[in-house]
Amino acid sequence: MRAIHWPTHPHLLAALLLHPACSNYLLEQDQSAELSDAGACEGLPEWTPEARLIEDLVRERIDEERRRGGRCGDWTFPPRPPLARSSELDCAAKRHALDMAERAYISPIDPDGYDLGDRLGDVGYRYSLWAETVGAGWSDADAAVDAWLLAPAHCYKLFAAEFEQVGVGVHLIPEPPEPAPDAPPADPDAPAPLPYTSTWTLLLASP
């Protein structure tokens, strides 16, 4: 097993893990096209329509780039088939995007040391390989995908033939309310809120 981390931008991080297959599990494409809030997404707050739309546009843009083929640094890729949507990957991505916003960090590894392999296990996704990109601050799908395409390590993952499925999580961070005049002082040990309006997680994997 090997893990590779590519910090290519202050607000853009990635992790890639390759190891022997755990199973031959494959979610049928017609099932993966519909995301259910049950099961893997149980306990998540209601996702806003705006965030869901951005996630859909990210998937559409990635498939559009794959249909054309592309170039990532020294790598050139032929046209690729679209990626199947996986409800498990979507839910793992949403959970991580929300967790980054709530605990004020931007990393593929959370403050407790959990990585994507752990999070995929939590949602019941049996994988043979996976890749993850996390980031913050983008306001729309094109801005995020354009940033990934400009970073060769992230760009490579979008075109890699090894990946069959995709999950996207975009959490839009609401403006904090003005503190009441009689509110108690803030906890000095609490993490400072992120200076961004959004957190993003992109997951690419194969069963």
Side-chain angles (χ1 to χ4, degrees), residues 14 16 28-30 50 71 78 104 111 121 129 147 166 170 176 185:
L16 174 65
E28 295 294 338
Q29 187 162 354
D30 60 348
E50 183 182 0
R71 185 175 182 83
L129 69 161
V166 64
V170 177

Tab-separated table of all heavy atoms in Angstrom, residues 14 16 28-30 50 71 78 104 111 121 129 147 166 170 176 185:
chain	number	residue	atom	x	y	z
A	14	ALA	N	-4.380	17.035	-2.393
A	14	ALA	CA	-4.833	15.770	-2.964
A	14	ALA	C	-4.179	14.616	-2.265
A	14	ALA	O	-3.123	14.737	-1.660
A	14	ALA	CB	-4.485	15.714	-4.456
A	16	LEU	N	-3.693	10.193	-3.040
A	16	LEU	CA	-3.931	9.054	-3.915
A	16	LEU	C	-3.497	7.801	-3.193
A	16	LEU	O	-2.432	7.759	-2.600
A	16	LEU	CB	-3.121	9.201	-5.213
A	16	LEU	CG	-3.158	8.023	-6.179
A	16	LEU	CD1	-4.556	7.821	-6.726
A	16	LEU	CD2	-2.169	8.217	-7.300
A	28	GLU	N	-24.312	-0.439	-9.991
A	28	GLU	CA	-24.853	-0.298	-11.337
A	28	GLU	C	-25.039	1.179	-11.654
A	28	GLU	O	-25.463	1.970	-10.819
A	28	GLU	CB	-26.206	-1.014	-11.439
A	28	GLU	CG	-26.125	-2.514	-11.270
A	28	GLU	CD	-25.376	-3.186	-12.397
A	28	GLU	OE1	-25.284	-2.603	-13.484
A	28	GLU	OE2	-24.869	-4.293	-12.198
A	29	GLN	N	-24.783	1.576	-12.916
A	29	GLN	CA	-24.814	2.989	-13.262
A	29	GLN	C	-26.211	3.571	-13.097
A	29	GLN	O	-26.376	4.705	-12.668
A	29	GLN	CB	-24.328	3.196	-14.703
A	29	GLN	CG	-24.178	4.674	-15.058
A	29	GLN	CD	-23.316	4.888	-16.258
A	29	GLN	OE1	-22.725	3.954	-16.783
A	29	GLN	NE2	-23.230	6.103	-16.712
A	30	ASP	N	-27.280	2.810	-13.421
A	30	ASP	CA	-28.611	3.381	-13.294
A	30	ASP	C	-28.976	3.585	-11.820
A	30	ASP	O	-29.750	4.457	-11.482
A	30	ASP	CB	-29.660	2.500	-13.977
A	30	ASP	CG	-29.721	1.095	-13.402
A	30	ASP	OD1	-28.804	0.726	-12.643
A	30	ASP	OD2	-30.669	0.368	-13.708
A	50	GLU	N	-28.496	25.036	-4.131
A	50	GLU	CA	-27.356	25.660	-4.814
A	50	GLU	C	-26.133	24.741	-4.776
A	50	GLU	O	-25.436	24.576	-5.792
A	50	GLU	CB	-27.023	26.997	-4.159
A	50	GLU	CG	-25.893	27.740	-4.858
A	50	GLU	CD	-25.539	29.039	-4.167
A	50	GLU	OE1	-26.168	29.379	-3.145
A	50	GLU	OE2	-24.613	29.730	-4.649
A	71	ARG	N	-4.585	17.351	-21.808
A	71	ARG	CA	-3.161	17.313	-21.493
A	71	ARG	C	-2.954	17.827	-20.080
A	71	ARG	O	-3.515	18.853	-19.688
A	71	ARG	CB	-2.372	18.178	-22.490
A	71	ARG	CG	-0.857	18.108	-22.306
A	71	ARG	CD	-0.134	18.879	-23.398
A	71	ARG	NE	1.317	18.782	-23.248
A	71	ARG	CZ	2.053	17.775	-23.683
A	71	ARG	NH1	1.459	16.773	-24.311
A	71	ARG	NH2	3.358	17.752	-23.515
A	78	PRO	N	-6.178	10.437	-24.235
A	78	PRO	CA	-7.203	10.331	-25.264
A	78	PRO	C	-8.581	10.513	-24.632
A	78	PRO	O	-8.705	10.559	-23.398
A	78	PRO	CB	-7.023	8.901	-25.782
A	78	PRO	CG	-6.547	8.148	-24.579
A	78	PRO	CD	-5.657	9.107	-23.834
A	104	ALA	N	-12.798	23.498	10.766
A	104	ALA	CA	-11.874	24.548	10.311
A	104	ALA	C	-10.502	24.016	9.908
A	104	ALA	O	-9.474	24.393	10.468
A	104	ALA	CB	-11.733	25.628	11.385
A	111	PRO	N	-8.442	15.987	11.523
A	111	PRO	CA	-7.637	16.179	12.742
A	111	PRO	C	-7.455	14.919	13.580
A	111	PRO	O	-6.536	14.858	14.403
A	111	PRO	CB	-8.440	17.244	13.517
A	111	PRO	CG	-9.170	18.008	12.459
A	111	PRO	CD	-9.540	16.985	11.432
A	121	GLY	N	-14.714	3.353	4.097
A	121	GLY	CA	-15.185	2.237	4.908
A	121	GLY	C	-16.424	2.609	5.694
A	121	GLY	O	-17.347	1.799	5.843
A	129	LEU	N	-9.009	1.142	-5.673
A	129	LEU	CA	-8.119	2.298	-5.640
A	129	LEU	C	-8.962	3.552	-5.538
A	129	LEU	O	-10.141	3.556	-5.896
A	129	LEU	CB	-7.211	2.366	-6.866
A	129	LEU	CG	-7.840	2.672	-8.221
A	129	LEU	CD1	-6.765	3.154	-9.181
A	129	LEU	CD2	-8.522	1.459	-8.822
A	147	ALA	N	-9.117	25.021	-11.883
A	147	ALA	CA	-7.964	24.935	-10.977
A	147	ALA	C	-7.381	23.532	-10.990
A	147	ALA	O	-6.152	23.359	-11.002
A	147	ALA	CB	-8.379	25.336	-9.565
A	166	VAL	N	-17.296	8.535	-9.531
A	166	VAL	CA	-16.990	9.866	-9.006
A	166	VAL	C	-17.969	10.222	-7.903
A	166	VAL	O	-19.126	9.788	-7.899
A	166	VAL	CB	-17.040	10.929	-10.137
A	166	VAL	CG1	-18.442	11.044	-10.714
A	166	VAL	CG2	-16.529	12.278	-9.669
A	170	VAL	N	-19.796	19.611	-2.071
A	170	VAL	CA	-19.560	21.057	-1.986
A	170	VAL	C	-20.413	21.600	-0.844
A	170	VAL	O	-21.649	21.505	-0.877
A	170	VAL	CB	-19.930	21.779	-3.293
A	170	VAL	CG1	-19.727	23.286	-3.138
A	170	VAL	CG2	-19.096	21.246	-4.460
A	176	PRO	N	-21.546	33.943	9.202
A	176	PRO	CA	-21.840	33.801	10.637
A	176	PRO	C	-22.737	34.940	11.110
A	176	PRO	O	-22.598	36.081	10.655
A	176	PRO	CB	-20.456	33.871	11.291
A	176	PRO	CG	-19.610	34.623	10.316
A	176	PRO	CD	-20.130	34.269	8.954
A	185	PRO	N	-18.043	35.580	25.810
A	185	PRO	CA	-16.856	35.649	24.942
A	185	PRO	C	-16.607	34.311	24.258
A	185	PRO	O	-16.948	33.250	24.770
A	185	PRO	CB	-15.721	36.012	25.897
A	185	PRO	CG	-16.226	35.634	27.260
A	185	PRO	CD	-17.710	35.810	27.223
